[in-house]
Amino acid sequence: MPGDMARILYGVMGNTNGHIMRTLSLVARLPEHEFRFVGGGRVPETLAGRWPCLEVPVPRTVHRRQRVSIPRTIGHLANCHLGLPRHVRRITDEIEAWQPDLAICDREFFLPHAARKTGLPILSIDHSHVLKACRYPVPAPEKVSWALAMANDYLFYDLTRHNLIVSFFHPPQKPSRPGFRDELFPAVVREVVTTRRPSAGNHVFVYQTSNTFPRLIQTLAELKRPVVVYGFHKEDRQEGTIAFRAYHPERILDDLASSAYAVVNGGHNLLSEAFYYGKPVLCFPVRTLFEQFINAYHVRALGWGDYATTMEPTPALFDAFEQRLPDYRAALAAGFREGTADLVARLRTLIADPKAIIGS
């Protein structure tokens, strides 16, 4: 490793923006190191012109009607697995040519296989490992969803042995499995998020992972507040009190920071950014996506908002939520902690001594 500079190969899942945004927030705070990336979906386009990126497929969950389509998801995962040898070979070629000092993985499927094959030290940084590393309640209606999530994690995402877990909630940790180390950190927030000062606006900020929940939009149209919606249309349009907006990385933060509260599915990154701005959140987790459910469960448990699993939301549900906004805001002000600096400090320690990464 020449001087203090390390070469780091970073694998990122690109089916949603959360993994990419978390990765960029960390990379921006490590300017002394050289990065190359492995990822698919939105990753190549987001990184274009800034860092080299080896494009690979993205194993992902397929949504239909506000729930995970299990048959389609299984089919998609099977196709990705069939391509495993070819894509691992491409990554090992990259490793042998570039000679990185270590690898980091944020829920990327192929890189851990290549790192194991070549002996490259690898650690993971994500939120998903909280499901395996911690103890938490699993309500009876969510048992099947939990079992599917566990099967997916152990079958597809269990090759990294040193896992840095970022989470806005910290349930009790289990003892780490022999040969593994799980370290829990507070939520990571992008530097660009911290440049905006939150204000107490009147509009409702809405972000949906996909446009498969039209009943929610019908209910939002009945609210007495203006509503700003991301995730439903690829172009801007106004329909009554609802402003549909195309995704824009700067504008979406402006709309979130100036909102009265947020309505989201339950993705960890956006929840963390809403909480950083002091915004209570009403979650509608995608059915059969247990990670979103457990995030929403802890939103309620912490008193920072609430969640609903109904497919038929009503204005009364929103009225009840809005009546508790002062309580949610007070709990957030007292309880939320952003921990990006803690994680970056730990990362610098491990980058300086890759042999300290468990499994190396």
Side-chain angles (χ1 to χ4, degrees):
M1 192 183 303
D4 293 327
M5 188 275 287
R7 289 181 170 182
I8 302 170
L9 189 59
Y10 210 131
V12 190
M13 177 181 277
N15 63 325
T16 64
N17 285 312
H19 301 275
I20 303 171
M21 295 302 102
R22 176 168 50 236
T23 295
L24 292 179
S25 71
L26 296 173
V27 169
R29 291 170 168 89
L30 297 166
E32 67 271 28
H33 301 300
E34 186 178 355
F35 291 90
R36 291 189 182 184
F37 290 85
V38 174
R42 303 174 188 178
V43 175
E45 179 183 358
T46 304
L47 303 183
R50 291 188 281 178
W51 295 280
C53 179
L54 180 63
E55 186 170 1
V56 293
V58 183
R60 62 183 179 87
T61 53
V62 181
H63 299 171
R64 291 194 71 194
R65 300 176 183 175
Q66 185 59 9
R67 68 170 65 238
V68 174
S69 172
I70 295 175
R72 292 189 178 192
T73 298
I74 291 174
H76 183 74
L77 294 176
N79 284 333
C80 286
H81 201 275
L82 288 173
L84 182 63
R86 180 167 62 91
H87 295 298
V88 168
R89 185 167 58 251
R90 294 171 60 221
I91 300 170
T92 57
D93 288 346
E94 176 78 1
I95 291 171
E96 290 168 2
W98 191 49
Q99 293 293 302
D101 299 291
L102 72 153
I104 300 175
C105 181
D106 191 330
R107 201 70 175 172
E108 202 285 313
F109 174 61
F110 297 100
L111 178 57
H113 291 272
R116 170 174 284 190
K117 185 174 181 179
T118 58
L120 181 67
I122 185 169
L123 58 89
S124 79
I125 301 173
D126 61 30
H127 171 66
S128 305
H129 272 88
V130 76
L131 300 183
K132 288 190 289 191
C134 296
R135 294 190 173 97
Y136 44 82
V138 181
E142 299 297 327
K143 294 287 187 183
V144 172
S145 174
W146 173 82
L148 290 170
M150 290 297 96
N152 182 58
D153 278 12
Y154 281 106
L155 287 172
F156 292 97
Y157 299 101
D158 200 38
L159 287 182
T160 55
R161 305 226 164 197
H162 200 147
N163 305 306
L164 309 185
I165 305 166
V166 295
S167 180
F168 67 82
F169 59 94
H170 284 196
Q173 276 189 257
K174 302 174 185 176
S176 292
R177 291 175 286 165
F180 287 75
R181 179 178 294 166
D182 300 312
E183 302 181 36
L184 204 56
F185 293 84
V188 166
V189 174
R190 293 177 289 155
E191 192 168 8
V192 67
V193 174
T194 67
T195 64
R196 286 159 171 79
R197 187 182 300 275
S199 59
N202 187 47
H203 69 270
V204 180
F205 172 92
V206 180
Y207 181 86
Q208 293 289 285
T209 305
S210 65
N211 59 353
T212 61
F213 196 7
R215 184 67 183 87
L216 174 63
I217 301 300
Q218 296 168 20
T219 301
L220 291 169
E222 299 180 49
L223 302 186
K224 297 177 182 178
R225 297 176 183 267
V227 180
V228 176
V229 177
Y230 286 87
F232 259 76
H233 297 297
K234 294 183 179 180
E235 71 285 340
D236 291 357
R237 66 169 73 172
Q238 186 79 33
E239 295 181 8
T241 58
I242 300 180
F244 292 97
R245 295 197 170 161
Y247 178 80
H248 185 281
E250 300 288 335
R251 186 171 63 169
I252 193 171
L253 291 178
D254 294 335
D255 287 330
L256 177 58
S258 61
S259 65
Y261 62 90
V263 176
V264 303
N265 292 124
H268 184 266
N269 194 69
L270 186 53
L271 283 171
S272 299
E273 293 180 351
F275 296 149
Y276 178 84
Y277 290 136
K279 305 302 179 182
V281 176
L282 178 57
C283 296
F284 291 91
V286 174
R287 290 190 176 187
T288 326
L289 200 56
F290 184 76
E291 185 180 346
Q292 286 197 359
F293 170 81
I294 203 64
N295 292 346
Y297 175 94
H298 282 92
V299 169
R300 176 187 286 178
L302 290 164
W304 299 351
D306 207 346
Y307 75 89
T309 57
T310 178
M311 297 293 290
E312 297 291 333
T314 64
L317 186 155
F318 283 85
D319 289 343
F321 178 82
E322 291 187 5
Q323 288 175 15
R324 297 197 59 193
L325 285 176
D327 296 333
Y328 297 144
R329 289 170 181 146
L332 266 170
F336 177 72
R337 181 178 169 229
E338 183 264 330
T340 311
D342 296 344
L343 179 58
V344 171
R346 178 60 173 146
L347 261 180
R348 282 203 165 99
T349 299
L350 292 170
I351 292 170
D353 183 16
K355 292 182 180 178
I357 298 173
I358 303 300
S360 300

